[in-house]
Amino acid sequence: MLISTEVDVLRLLADPLRAQLVGLLAQGPACTCHLVADTGAKQPTISHHLKVLREAGLVAAEPRGRFTYYRLLPAPLEAGAAFLTGLSEQVRANADRFREC
């Protein structure tokens, strides 16, 4: 599994196409043909990014007939959001604490 910390979720979403795929999958499960049509990217490129997201645990593949649908999993996104929330709380709490030189 690729994701070892919440920060890895942020690294995965730093790629614009992967972020777009995650946004599209947030609207519901989709197959590769839908994602190709929605993004304009080539099928091998979409398949590569889906593989990375699947191996990282962000996406699950579900066979449906002759198609495979991809579903976004909320838990890794929630962990990444919790990390960012904790970080922003820490920033607020320490905004006026200057370190001595």
Side-chain angles (χ1 to χ4, degrees):
M1 184 175 244
L2 238 155
I3 293 182
S4 57
T5 68
E6 297 81 3
V7 179
D8 287 344
V9 173
L10 302 177
R11 182 183 50 78
L12 287 169
L13 296 179
D15 181 279
L17 182 55
R18 276 199 294 266
Q20 185 180 8
L21 291 173
V22 167
L24 290 167
L25 292 173
Q27 299 171 25
C31 69
T32 305
C33 61
H34 297 129
L35 298 170
V36 167
D38 291 345
T39 63
K42 296 190 182 298
Q43 184 273 327
T45 302
I46 296 293
S47 292
H48 166 74
H49 286 292
L50 288 171
K51 179 182 179 206
V52 170
L53 292 170
R54 196 175 64 247
E55 288 176 349
L58 242 59
V59 169
E62 298 178 17
R64 293 181 65 91
R66 26 176 263 187
F67 298 101
T68 299
Y69 277 74
Y70 295 88
R71 175 185 306 277
L72 189 60
L73 301 173
L77 295 175
E78 291 165 348
F83 172 79
L84 289 176
T85 298
L87 192 59
S88 67
E89 289 170 355
Q90 186 177 0
V91 168
R92 284 188 204 292
N94 297 313
D96 295 324
R97 291 182 67 202
F98 289 88
R99 293 173 31 180
E100 293 293 325
C101 293

